[in-house]
Amino acid sequence: MRKVKCVIAAVLVAAFCAIAVPPAVAQGRSTPRDWSKWDSVQRLIGKAVIESGGGIDRSEVNDEEHNKFHDLVTIVFELERVRPNGVWAGSTHWEAVRVHVEGQSSSSRSSESNTSRQHYSASGSYSQNLKYLGDFDVGLIHETGEWQATTPAKAEPYEMQVTGSYWTAESDTTERYSETELSTSMPAYVFDGQADRDIGVLQASGHIEFHEEDGSGGHWTTARITIQPDWNDVEVIVIIDGYERWRPLASLTMAGGEGNHLLAQAVLRPKDVSAEAALPEVESFHFELLETSQVPGAAMNWPLDSTDDSPDLMLRVETSSPGVLKNKSQQLDVPNPARNARGWPAATARIGSFDFGGRTILRVTAELADGRTIVGRLEGQEDTPYPGILIPKRRPGRWIAEAWLADNGVAKLPDDDDAESEPEGDGHDGDGLTLYEEYRGFVVGWMKGGRAEGDPKRKDLFILNLTRSRGADGSAGIDLFEKATGLRVIQSRDKREMDEEKRVINMNHGAAKKGAENEGAAPHRVDQHGVVLKTLDFDQMNHHGAMTFEVKGRDASYALKPATTRVVGIPARNDKESLFNKPFNLPADDFATMLDRVIVHELLHSVGVGEHGSNDHNAEFLYVPASYKGNNRGEPVFWMKSGQDWSQYIDVLEEATGESLAKRMSPLLDYQLDLLCDEFADTLEVPPGTKFADLDEELQKIVIQLPPIFNLYVGVEHGEHSGNEQCPMRYAFADLYKAQKGFVPREIYYVVPLGTEDVGVTVCDSPVGTGVNDAGHHKPQSRYGDAEVDASGHFGNCAAQICVNDGAPPRKRGCAK
């Protein structure tokens, strides 16, 4: 094995020499061999970050394909020098003795045609020490100072969580699956760099990309590496109290103000702390923040439309360690530091936080009088080969504090995860907010603590409550909606927390400032919208009910989502003209909370849920007495004013007894018809006191159509009143319902008894009728039957229509069978 390894090494060195010989050497001129001093460096530590991504986006007339992938790996390593021999002549070579990798990997594929539709997504993360280290080494040529590092190309097996769905027109069903796969995929890179003539830090970066000729896709890789010497006699430790649990906070009282902070103390000490060795003098301690995030605002929604991209964390001077701040407070120099109680040189810096989701890397170095630069490591992690302290404590490359991930049980999820499956809804996972955006959270002034975070395991919906009495009119209904749907609702009552017109709740997602030491933008998937619930008057809604208004130009054949819902309007709770202050056919208990249930109904519209059916309608019913000369029935009946022939009479019956309503009301209504004849005698050109029975048929028809006319709401089979009785999407104010099997040439309608149209707040999961709509238990028949299921859509299964994610593809109204 050693022989094979030496042969490989010889090939690598030969390759170095082949590319490293400068023109001066080729022409016989001498070049100073200044880099041989690197032979004195026994140990190197370092960090490499490699990020790759890409995809395909093709759309044709009847065929679409969308694929994408993203991989990010951070490699921290320790290398030891291999003793010089014939193979390594003219160079210094270090081989890996420890390599730790932290990575995230995600991919998705979707395709759609007229006959099939499929979707696949996979995501996973890993944190592991590599077992095979032979692929990772660094070589530096003495003649030129050129060096090369090759990172590992494969991780140990790790789990990928996979979800997918498949639909075919032939079956017209959607099959979903969820499983776990193993992967070893990890991006790799070959770095080439140039060392300084003095021993110092080795750094290199690179970027490659490829584009399809038709512009439909491509892929890219960006990488950087930092390597530095590690010395044997002394070390710098950094002490940070509370580091394990700390997370960044911003000020809620002043935009741009500091919220909390960490104190970092740097100490130079001997590696063998039991030895009383003389320490070299420290000329200066240097504190530096690297890769500091610069996301606009302090939270996802505050301040609105923020353009402030100043660093989210900054260094501050502690009075015990006077120093000089530089570079927008990303650097602090503490010259001539004092010594601590043990006589060791020490200095302290404060790291202030100005954001709820900021991150940075603290690098502390000590400039010694003997010319060396010592890089500090966190106390307790002196054996960790990592040149920098991640603030807050987090995995390399990540944005989220480990403590938060652990507290919420989501340590294995990537920062850009948006795969909440609760509630299941229409099958599209997520709520449009990445894990990082939920962690960074939202300013919500009325809540305890002044802010709210997203729920990483449950779908969130942001609602701006602009109802009367500072939101009191809408709060109870919003609470009912949250309970009924299983969604987690973040409720705001302040237009400074969500723009009423734009309605984007994660607008402060801007990219972090670009740079050689920056890993890019904060994790973001889609501009996610909230829903506005607002008190509107009659003039604004043109009726006394409630309404969900959609954005202009929306295709009405698709279900609503927060992005396409402009505003949900309700009347004031104390509006005497409001339809929801009229009992209709509700039981007394239901009437007391009617407006709250209406809010649930309208908010369900905003997340994609439709009515249970269609075609319920208002209708005018005219009383036709037995004395009407065209009445061949010989008994009182009704005629429905809808363009029907006058011979098509309607029987309106009591539900429980089958008694004719026309017969029961005939004494009173006959008397009123006679009064109308007398009142309009001049118009009718008949003598005063003429009775209705004495008029000819044409005049009788005129009198019948004079007020009073019964304007009644009719519920039809499979209409808006159909389906599960306890679902808030079911209407509950019909006056009549039509008999499913009438008699020719007449139709029968039943009167809905007062107080019998019960409505609950249980979002239904089936179109099957229950309660008054149960065909087997309600007499004389199911009032409105099962919810509508036909070629235009499948309704009544309201739970399977809920979708809050604005990133999900548009869905036709209704749900799958």
Side-chain angles (χ1 to χ4, degrees):
M1 175 64 73
R2 181 62 181 172
K3 181 178 180 181
V4 174
K5 196 170 185 180
C6 288
V7 171
I8 295 173
V11 172
L12 287 174
V13 172
F16 284 149
C17 293
I19 65 171
V21 177
V25 173
Q27 296 172 14
R29 294 194 294 270
S30 62
T31 300
R33 305 169 68 87
D34 291 343
W35 287 273
S36 59
K37 63 179 70 176
W38 280 87
D39 265 346
S40 66
V41 178
Q42 179 65 28
R43 188 166 173 267
L44 296 176
I45 58 174
K47 165 190 170 184
V49 177
I50 307 168
E51 186 173 10
S52 62
I56 296 175
D57 192 352
R58 293 193 180 100
S59 297
E60 299 177 0
V61 176
N62 295 314
D63 194 4
E64 292 188 16
E65 179 185 6
H66 307 280
N67 300 337
K68 63 180 180 179
F69 75 91
H70 181 259
D71 289 286
L72 172 66
V73 63
T74 299
I75 307 169
V76 292
F77 51 86
E78 178 181 339
L79 306 102
E80 289 188 354
R81 183 170 61 84
V82 178
R83 290 186 177 278
N85 55 35
V87 176
W88 309 117
S91 67
T92 303
H93 191 84
W94 298 266
E95 289 185 347
V97 294
R98 188 188 309 175
V99 177
H100 184 81
V101 295
E102 301 268 356
Q104 304 172 54
S105 179
S106 63
S107 64
S108 65
R109 299 194 302 270
S110 63
S111 61
E112 183 171 353
S113 68
N114 291 335
T115 58
S116 67
R117 180 172 61 247
Q118 53 185 320
H119 176 75
Y120 165 95
S121 64
S123 64
S125 62
Y126 48 96
S127 175
Q128 56 186 237
N129 293 316
L130 297 188
K131 297 177 182 178
Y132 179 67
L133 306 176
D135 290 339
F136 195 0
D137 53 18
V138 173
L140 184 148
I141 300 173
H142 294 166
E143 260 190 333
T144 64
E146 290 181 291
W147 59 270
Q148 187 176 76
T150 304
T151 66
K154 186 180 294 186
E156 305 295 334
Y158 61 90
E159 289 186 352
M160 296 283 286
Q161 301 300 317
V162 177
T163 59
S165 62
Y166 185 76
W167 170 88
T168 61
E170 183 179 357
S171 64
D172 194 24
T173 58
T174 300
E175 297 182 10
R176 296 184 173 88
Y177 59 88
S178 178
E179 59 192 24
T180 300
E181 294 181 354
L182 290 180
S183 176
T184 59
S185 175
M186 183 176 76
Y189 205 82
V190 177
F191 294 93
D192 292 293
Q194 174 68 49
D196 290 333
R197 291 181 180 270
D198 294 322
I199 297 175
V201 177
L202 304 177
Q203 297 187 84
S205 62
H207 178 82
I208 57 175
E209 58 183 82
F210 167 80
H211 298 280
E212 297 282 352
E213 291 184 2
D214 61 1
S216 62
H219 58 81
W220 54 268
T221 298
T222 297
R224 65 182 183 279
I225 192 170
T226 301
I227 307 171
Q228 57 197 38
D230 190 43
W231 305 100
N232 294 324
D233 57 337
V234 292
E235 64 184 354
V236 172
I237 62 164
V238 181
I239 303 167
I240 304 178
D241 291 335
Y243 174 73
E244 294 289 324
R245 297 286 307 168
W246 188 84
R247 62 161 296 179
L249 300 175
S251 170
L252 286 170
T253 58
M254 181 178 65
E258 180 181 303
N260 63 351
H261 67 270
L262 279 175
L263 293 179
Q265 183 186 45
V267 179
L268 178 75
R269 72 181 186 185
K271 280 202 170 178
D272 182 1
V273 295
S274 63
E276 294 297 330
L279 291 175
E281 291 294 323
V282 176
E283 291 186 348
S284 176
F285 278 109
H286 180 70
F287 296 85
E288 184 176 13
L289 300 183
L290 304 172
E291 303 180 23
T292 303
S293 58
Q294 296 174 254
V295 184
M300 298 313 304
N301 69 325
W302 188 81
L304 290 179
D305 274 331
S306 176
T307 58
D308 175 24
D309 62 352
S310 58
D312 296 333
L313 296 111
M314 298 186 214
L315 290 164
R316 292 291 184 258
V317 176
E318 277 294 295
T319 55
S320 60
S321 297
V324 179
L325 292 169
K326 303 177 182 177
N327 187 25
K328 295 184 178 180
S329 298
Q330 296 297 288
Q331 294 177 340
L332 170 64
D333 292 328
V334 181
N336 304 313
R339 293 185 176 246
N340 65 12
R342 297 198 61 173
W344 298 338
T348 301
R350 189 175 79 185
I351 304 169
S353 172
F354 302 84
D355 194 283
F356 290 103
R359 68 168 188 174
T360 190
I361 297 175
L362 171 64
R363 185 165 70 184
V364 181
T365 55
E367 302 292 337
L368 305 188
D370 62 15
R372 287 184 294 170
T373 298
I374 310 294
V375 179
R377 288 194 240 172
L378 187 65
E379 183 183 38
Q381 299 182 14
E382 294 88 344
D383 292 334
T384 302
Y386 193 80
I389 301 168
L390 300 174
I391 307 290
K393 184 183 180 184
R394 55 190 170 85
R395 296 293 185 184
R398 300 205 64 170
W399 288 73
I400 303 175
E402 276 189 10
W404 187 89
L405 293 171
D407 290 346
N408 288 277
V410 291
K412 292 185 177 181
L413 297 181
D415 292 352
D416 65 349
D417 177 79
D418 183 28
E420 299 99 327
S421 58
E422 295 296 330
E424 182 179 357
D426 68 351
H428 288 107
D429 289 340
D431 51 22
L433 300 170
T434 64
L435 192 66
Y436 166 75
E437 290 172 337
E438 293 179 327
Y439 157 79
R440 191 184 185 210
F442 310 88
V443 168
V444 184
W446 72 274
M447 294 181 65
K448 183 178 180 181
R451 60 184 296 270
E453 294 172 356
D455 188 329
K457 294 182 179 179
R458 192 155 57 120
K459 298 174 184 176
D460 294 291
L461 177 68
F462 200 103
I463 296 178
L464 177 61
N465 179 4
L466 300 180
T467 58
R468 294 281 177 87
S469 303
R470 296 184 178 181
D473 272 14
S475 291
I478 292 173
D479 291 343
L480 273 180
F481 170 79
E482 182 176 38
K483 182 178 179 180
T485 61
L487 295 168
R488 191 291 186 90
V489 173
I490 301 173
Q491 181 187 162
S492 170
R493 300 171 184 173
D494 191 335
K495 287 191 283 187
R496 292 172 297 179
E497 297 166 1
M498 187 179 97
D499 188 294
E500 185 180 356
E501 298 300 324
K502 295 180 180 178
R503 296 177 291 105
V504 177
I505 62 171
N506 56 348
M507 60 173 55
N508 291 337
H509 61 76
K513 189 175 284 277
K514 302 297 181 182
E517 293 297 320
N518 197 289
E519 292 181 13
H524 176 74
R525 286 178 178 259
V526 65
D527 286 356
Q528 178 63 34
H529 294 72
V531 174
V532 179
L533 178 68
K534 188 174 185 179
T535 302
L536 300 179
D537 58 29
F538 177 85
D539 291 336
Q540 292 169 305
M541 291 192 286
N542 200 31
H543 59 74
H544 292 293
M547 180 172 286
T548 300
F549 294 88
E550 55 194 57
V551 298
K552 294 181 179 179
R554 187 187 80 90
D555 187 341
S557 65
Y558 288 94
L560 282 169
K561 286 195 290 188
T564 52
T565 302
R566 181 164 58 86
V567 64
V568 173
I570 63 168
R573 191 174 289 271
N574 62 358
D575 183 355
K576 294 181 180 180
E577 298 300 318
S578 165
L579 295 176
F580 313 121
N581 282 324
K582 303 182 187 305
F584 293 106
N585 290 312
L586 291 172
D589 290 345
D590 287 355
F591 173 59
T593 59
M594 189 174 183
L595 183 61
D596 301 326
R597 295 164 191 255
V598 168
I599 290 172
V600 176
H601 178 101
E602 297 299 333
L603 288 176
L604 279 166
H605 278 322
S606 75
V607 294
V609 183
E611 315 286 3
H612 280 191
S614 56
N615 298 322
D616 288 355
H617 58 277
N618 280 296
E620 292 182 339
F621 287 81
L622 308 179
Y623 171 70
V624 181
S627 59
Y628 170 56
K629 292 180 172 57
N631 183 355
N632 57 10
R633 291 278 305 280
E635 60 183 9
V637 290
F638 285 99
W639 177 70
M640 189 164 64
K641 189 176 180 182
S642 58
Q644 296 184 55
D645 186 272
W646 272 81
S647 63
Q648 297 296 316
Y649 294 129
I650 305 297
D651 275 335
V652 178
L653 307 180
E654 295 287 354
E655 183 183 67
T657 64
E659 179 187 3
S660 168
L661 185 65
K663 285 183 180 180
R664 181 157 61 84
M665 299 179 65
S666 61
L668 174 62
L669 297 179
D670 287 344
Y671 175 70
Q672 288 182 337
L673 287 175
D674 286 340
L675 291 179
L676 287 171
C677 290
D678 189 54
E679 181 180 353
F680 291 96
D682 291 343
T683 302
L684 297 173
E685 297 181 351
V686 297
T690 302
K691 303 296 184 181
F692 178 84
D694 298 329
L695 298 176
D696 60 38
E697 183 176 343
E698 290 303 314
L699 289 179
Q700 284 183 326
K701 186 180 294 188
I702 292 173
V703 174
I704 287 173
Q705 297 182 71
L706 294 174
I709 297 173
F710 299 97
N711 194 323
L712 303 174
Y713 198 81
V714 178
V716 302
E717 187 177 21
H718 311 312
E720 286 90 338
H721 285 72
S722 65
N724 190 307
E725 180 186 57
Q726 294 301 308
C727 181
M729 292 309 293
R730 189 183 81 86
Y731 283 5
F733 43 80
D735 300 299
L736 305 174
Y737 65 92
K738 187 176 181 180
Q740 294 174 11
K741 295 181 180 179
F743 299 91
V744 178
R746 62 194 176 95
E747 294 180 329
I748 294 176
Y749 287 80
Y750 289 105
V751 177
V752 177
L754 294 178
T756 62
E757 282 287 318
D758 193 19
V759 175
V761 286
T762 302
V763 178
C764 68
D765 58 7
S766 168
V768 176
T770 67
V772 296
N773 293 329
D774 188 325
H777 294 84
H778 188 73
K779 303 299 182 183
Q781 64 171 57
S782 165
R783 283 185 186 168
Y784 317 104
D786 296 340
E788 184 176 7
V789 177
D790 59 23
S792 65
H794 312 301
F795 302 93
N797 184 351
C798 294
Q801 300 177 55
I802 296 173
C803 181
V804 300
N805 189 346
D806 286 336
R811 186 198 76 234
K812 292 290 186 179
R813 294 176 61 252
C815 62
K817 292 182 180 178

